[in-house]
Amino acid sequence: DFELQAFNEGAIQAYESDTISLTDLALGLVMSNTGRRPIQISHLRQKDVLKGSNKKGEPIFLLNVPRAKQRAMEFRAQLKQFAITQELWVILNAQVEYAVQSVENVIGFELQTIDGLELPLFPDLSEFSKIKSLQHLRELSASDLLHIRSSKVTETCKHIADVAKIYSERTGELLNISSNRFRYTTGTRAAREGFGEMVIAELLDHSDTQNAGVYIKNIPEHVDKLDQA
């Protein structure tokens, strides 16, 4: 928990001091807050950042996350809604505006709203520089070619830890970042708060509960029993 908090606060402080970009901040926080796989983060689009309301009329903030690791599934064939905080939504919404502006600067023409919604939330601007027309853009939008690579997501999180000098309170060394650690933390925190396998499987976007039980068995309260054994 201390390391997760240190990463989130370090990322925000690094952005405020102009050490990392808005895109770096959005990438890092969406990864740490959702525990999703890098490929899922890289496949996000502008239209996936949503704001709605519940039955009481209260605002709710959502992220439509493309599913991953499903057999014979096409690019963005299935999406799953994930609730996010208003603070994260504000950052992602700012990234939406920044991404559109950046793409338009590269391609040299203004986009219609419908085309803007189909843009990657995290675009690979080097690929956009090759686009010759609006029709060309629409053709490429059917694939993941215009999205950043999944490896870029992990690289960005490591970069944040490095430039923000985020140290682990356990080891005293720079925080060792990986996408799996964020996923494990998400599952373990849910188990510690008393949620069962069904909820944890849903939280981590598992298709079934066969792998969710490991989080319940690994919560810190079991450490004493393990030590005795």
Side-chain angles (χ1 to χ4, degrees):
D1 289 340
F2 288 124
E3 291 176 342
L4 181 63
Q5 182 179 354
F7 178 84
N8 289 337
E9 292 179 351
I12 293 171
Q13 291 170 4
Y15 174 69
E16 290 176 343
S17 63
D18 205 25
T19 308
I20 64 172
S21 67
L22 172 62
T23 299
D24 291 340
L25 176 67
L27 264 175
L29 293 187
V30 76
M31 173 66 84
S32 68
N33 277 259
T34 68
R36 287 300 180 261
R37 298 180 177 90
I39 190 69
Q40 294 176 278
I41 304 301
S42 68
H43 284 175
L44 287 170
R45 291 196 166 176
Q46 311 277 349
K47 62 183 180 181
D48 295 329
V49 182
L50 306 172
K51 179 182 179 181
S53 59
N54 59 20
K55 294 180 180 179
K56 298 179 181 179
E58 301 167 333
I60 55 175
F61 306 93
L62 302 165
L63 194 60
N64 261 347
V65 184
R67 299 201 69 191
K69 295 188 74 173
Q70 310 297 313
R71 291 183 180 178
M73 191 175 71
E74 297 180 358
F75 171 60
R76 287 180 55 87
Q78 293 182 17
L79 303 172
K80 206 164 190 178
Q81 287 192 339
F82 190 97
I84 58 176
T85 64
Q86 182 176 0
E87 290 78 13
L88 179 57
W89 181 87
V90 168
I91 293 171
L92 294 181
N93 206 43
Q95 171 61 21
V96 165
E97 298 177 5
Y98 175 75
V100 172
Q101 183 180 32
S102 298
V103 167
E104 288 179 340
N105 288 340
V106 170
I107 62 179
F109 56 87
E110 189 172 338
L111 294 171
Q112 300 177 25
T113 301
I114 189 170
D115 293 307
L117 290 173
E118 294 297 333
L119 289 179
L121 182 58
F122 302 108
D124 184 342
L125 295 180
S126 64
E127 292 295 334
F128 277 94
S129 66
K130 304 173 186 177
I131 290 176
K132 307 301 181 183
S133 65
L134 179 58
Q135 182 60 34
H136 188 199
L137 170 62
R138 289 174 175 172
E139 291 172 357
L140 293 180
S141 292
S143 71
D144 64 349
L145 185 64
L146 300 177
H147 295 250
I148 61 170
R149 300 296 173 259
S150 59
S151 58
K152 178 66 174 177
V153 179
T154 302
E155 289 172 7
T156 299
C157 290
K158 290 181 178 292
H159 173 68
I160 292 172
D162 289 342
V163 300
K165 304 299 181 188
I166 303 171
Y167 288 91
S168 167
E169 50 85 28
R170 295 181 302 111
T171 67
E173 299 178 354
L174 280 173
L175 194 61
N176 181 24
I177 293 293
S178 73
S179 59
N180 283 340
R181 291 198 66 191
F182 287 126
R183 285 183 65 76
Y184 295 155
T185 297
T186 300
T188 301
R189 293 179 78 194
R192 189 187 306 150
E193 292 179 21
F195 293 103
E197 294 182 4
M198 290 289 291
V199 173
I200 294 173
E202 177 72 14
L203 186 63
L204 297 179
D205 196 19
H206 290 170
S207 297
D208 51 50
T209 61
Q210 65 178 346
N211 295 317
V214 67
Y215 296 100
I216 295 175
K217 296 171 185 175
N218 275 341
I219 59 176
E221 286 71 13
H222 294 163
V223 171
D224 288 340
K225 294 181 181 178
L226 289 171
D227 286 345
Q228 290 173 11

